[in-house]
Amino acid sequence: MKARVKWAEGRTFVGEAGTGHKIAFGTAHGENGQKPGPSPMELVLIGTGGCSAYDVVHILERGREKIEDCIVELDADRAETDPKVFTRIHMHFIVKGRALDPKKVERAINLSVEKYCSASAMMAKTAEVSHDFEVIDTSEG
């Protein structure tokens, strides 16, 4: 896997994945104090949620569950001193679909967070990672 980061201006950078996808990111800087995009640590948190959501969708689809949506809401705390690593990350999964089996949803989330998701495994080295979930049945009404 390869990536490249180039300084654009101020505190704005452009990251480019080896696949060619680009994203602007950075922190507020200068008189206007505008943020060009997510901060690097916000991208790490988003990546953790994305990694786990990907796993959950994949596992449920392979189990022939009728999943229609998967949202992961993340809430995190960071250390107060440098390097200000994440110390707590809570992931709340909202999984929507027709007649989903809550036990299968729970199993998929547990497998992701505890076994398959590389990002949550890395975050667990410095942070207490927790999760919960809710299932929304779209076949009702």
Side-chain angles (χ1 to χ4, degrees):
M1 180 179 298
K2 294 188 180 226
R4 180 175 187 254
V5 175
K6 181 171 180 355
W7 177 38
E9 64 181 352
R11 296 297 176 264
T12 300
F13 298 83
V14 176
E16 181 176 355
T19 57
H21 294 90
K22 294 181 182 182
I23 185 167
F25 65 95
T27 58
H29 180 71
E31 290 182 29
N32 297 334
Q34 295 179 320
K35 280 187 79 174
S39 73
M41 291 304 286
E42 287 171 326
L43 286 173
V44 170
L45 191 61
I46 290 167
T48 301
C51 180
S52 196
Y54 176 93
D55 291 340
V56 170
V57 169
H58 181 71
I59 292 165
L60 290 173
E61 284 180 340
R62 286 188 67 182
R64 299 183 194 203
E65 290 294 298
K66 293 177 175 44
I67 184 170
E68 296 172 355
D69 198 4
C70 180
I71 300 163
V72 185
E73 296 174 342
L74 295 103
D75 183 57
D77 294 327
R78 293 177 63 192
E80 291 187 23
T81 58
D82 289 329
K84 297 184 183 173
V85 296
F86 286 110
T87 57
R88 181 191 65 83
I89 299 172
H90 181 74
M91 295 189 281
H92 177 69
F93 292 82
I94 303 164
V95 184
K96 298 179 184 180
R98 294 184 309 271
L100 293 173
D101 181 343
K103 290 190 184 302
K104 289 183 180 179
V105 171
E106 181 175 31
R107 178 180 173 275
I109 293 167
N110 287 338
L111 281 171
S112 174
V113 174
E114 297 166 8
K115 183 175 182 180
Y116 293 116
C117 177
S118 306
S120 64
M122 286 188 294
M123 294 299 100
K125 300 290 184 188
T126 63
E128 176 186 320
V129 179
S130 61
H131 60 277
D132 61 15
F133 71 98
E134 62 183 283
V135 175
I136 298 175
D137 189 349
T138 59
S139 64
E140 298 173 356

